[in-house]
Amino acid sequence: MIADQVVNNFQRLRAPTGSILPIVLQAECPSILLTDAWSALQPKIERHLHSVGGVLLRDYVVPAVDDFQRFAAAFGDPLLRYEFASTPRSAVSNGIYTSTEYPAHQHIPLHNEQAYTREWPMRIWFHCVTASPVGGETPIADSRAIYRRMPTAIRERFAQGLLYVRNYSSDFDLPWQEVFGSERHEDVEAFCRRSGIEWRWLDDDALNTRQRCQGVERHPLSGEMVWFNQAHLFHASNLMPEVRASLLELVGEDLLPRNVCWADGSRIEDAILEQVRAVLEEETVSFAWQPGDVLMLDNMLVAHARTPFSGPRKVVVAMARSYTNL
């Protein structure tokens, strides 16, 4: 019989009072292949995923990325392609991608994967192939706790929805050809039509899109309300002040690579996003990666981030179980 245990004294670098994220299932024997342990682990993972939202599998053997892929696929859902991207990633193998390829010195704030659109994966896996010697953690946070802690006035305003505005250009952000995975206008327009995205072709083959999306959402299984958006990432206040000033001077507010407004198109004040970021910070849980770790999250119940790092780091990602509120 495969032996594993829930680790109650798991060492977190930081966590809010009362948080139990993530539940840790640790192999008692260091030679157990993760793929061999799947049948014993699966019911435990499903139970903890439904209640807590995040499970860390530690001290199991994952010889190669292909073994991680087989483990994730064993849950029964086809692994998803990374479509309508907002950050650069590279495909490692079928359904497996690098984590966001931002420079090592940059912090990636807490977010739920693809919460900036109206179709997202319900499940996401992270596998630490190489742990950075300094930094490089993947902090997480309970989206239900964030929703509850958010000031009522902000929560109610976000519940009215958001408008994400993107301008695609290889000069300042991802080009539309990379985001939509096609060189053809017809393919882009078909995707936008299916996804409820307004589009407008601009000079020099540039593209502008606008999409009204959720600011909060109800989990389709548990019925719980969660904070579910990427306003704090898309808003111009997320830029370094000097970068924001330069972009505004170069292209103007309407042509910023990305921005977010209230659903009616009116501006969201910087101060509101400062309060949002403060709540996210208060709910952050952080732990150090160990090589071989696999972290599985319910993407609606738990948000994730990335801290700056130095030295080698390789964390790969898989996603599954697409859900839409269209």
Side-chain angles (χ1 to χ4, degrees):
M1 179 177 178
I2 301 287
D4 63 83
Q5 59 182 336
V6 176
V7 178
N8 296 315
N9 61 347
F10 176 59
Q11 296 297 308
R12 296 167 177 79
L13 301 178
R14 60 162 295 178
T17 301
S19 174
I20 58 174
L21 268 174
I23 294 293
V24 182
L25 299 179
Q26 186 171 14
E28 290 183 350
C29 172
S31 62
I32 300 173
L33 289 169
L34 182 61
T35 48
D36 289 346
W38 182 87
S39 59
L41 288 171
Q42 188 264 347
K44 300 179 178 70
I45 292 171
E46 294 285 1
R47 183 173 69 253
H48 293 309
L49 205 66
H50 180 72
S51 58
V52 179
V55 179
L56 177 66
L57 305 167
R58 173 155 286 182
D59 293 338
Y60 290 95
V61 178
V62 186
V65 170
D66 285 348
D67 297 282
F68 166 64
Q69 179 192 50
R70 282 194 291 274
F71 178 80
F75 285 84
D77 300 298
L79 301 184
L80 299 174
R81 293 178 55 202
Y82 184 52
E83 296 184 314
F84 196 44
S86 69
T87 57
R89 296 179 189 261
S90 299
V92 178
S93 61
N94 185 30
I96 307 296
Y97 294 85
T98 58
S99 55
T100 299
E101 296 171 354
Y102 276 174
H105 69 277
Q106 292 186 7
H107 172 73
I108 301 175
L110 279 169
H111 61 284
N112 305 83
E113 196 65 35
Q114 295 190 302
Y116 57 84
T117 186
R118 298 187 64 179
E119 183 173 4
W120 56 82
M122 290 295 294
R123 294 184 164 185
I124 185 166
W125 294 260
F126 300 87
H127 169 43
C128 178
V129 179
T130 304
S132 172
V134 179
E137 297 85 14
T138 298
I140 55 180
D142 189 323
S143 300
R144 296 163 294 188
I146 295 169
Y147 176 87
R148 291 191 297 265
R149 188 189 282 257
M150 198 64 62
T152 302
I154 294 178
R155 192 171 62 209
E156 290 178 348
R157 188 67 196 271
F158 269 73
Q160 298 174 35
L162 300 167
L163 177 67
Y164 291 92
V165 182
R166 299 180 67 176
N167 290 285
Y168 307 85
S169 165
S170 56
D171 293 330
F172 302 115
D173 205 345
L174 298 177
W176 61 262
Q177 293 90 340
E178 182 176 342
V179 171
F180 292 93
S182 176
E183 302 280 339
R184 291 160 37 91
H185 286 201
E186 299 93 322
D187 295 337
V188 173
E189 293 170 7
F191 181 95
C192 290
R193 208 173 283 116
R194 290 194 305 271
S195 305
I197 300 171
E198 301 171 13
W199 74 90
R200 181 165 56 101
W201 296 104
L202 307 175
D203 294 339
D204 298 322
D205 203 32
L207 173 66
N208 167 273
T209 62
R210 296 157 63 92
Q211 187 179 28
R212 287 172 177 80
C213 297
Q214 66 291 323
V216 301
E217 189 58 73
R218 187 177 298 278
H219 194 282
L221 297 179
S222 72
E224 298 167 286
M225 293 302 299
V226 297
W227 187 257
F228 198 74
N229 63 79
Q230 290 193 20
H232 60 296
L233 277 79
F234 274 72
H235 194 264
S237 62
N238 190 48
L239 297 168
M240 296 292 291
E242 62 273 18
V243 174
R244 183 180 186 179
S246 296
L247 281 173
L248 287 171
E249 183 177 352
L250 283 170
V251 301
E253 188 164 7
D254 290 343
L255 292 178
L256 286 173
R258 60 184 72 187
N259 205 352
V260 63
C261 310
W262 297 123
D264 62 6
S266 59
R267 182 178 300 175
I268 303 176
E269 301 85 350
D270 288 11
I272 289 178
L273 276 303
E274 290 173 8
Q275 293 182 69
V276 169
R277 294 184 183 103
V279 172
L280 295 174
E281 176 68 18
E282 291 165 350
E283 286 296 329
T284 296
V285 177
S286 187
F287 64 92
W289 280 119
Q290 292 184 12
D293 281 353
V294 171
L295 177 68
M296 183 174 177
L297 303 177
D298 180 306
N299 182 47
M300 289 190 71
L301 296 183
V302 179
H304 61 274
R306 191 205 72 185
T307 65
F309 66 94
S310 61
R313 178 186 189 270
K314 183 176 181 180
V315 175
V316 295
V317 180
M319 297 171 283
R321 197 168 291 188
S322 183
Y323 176 81
T324 180
N325 65 9
L326 282 167

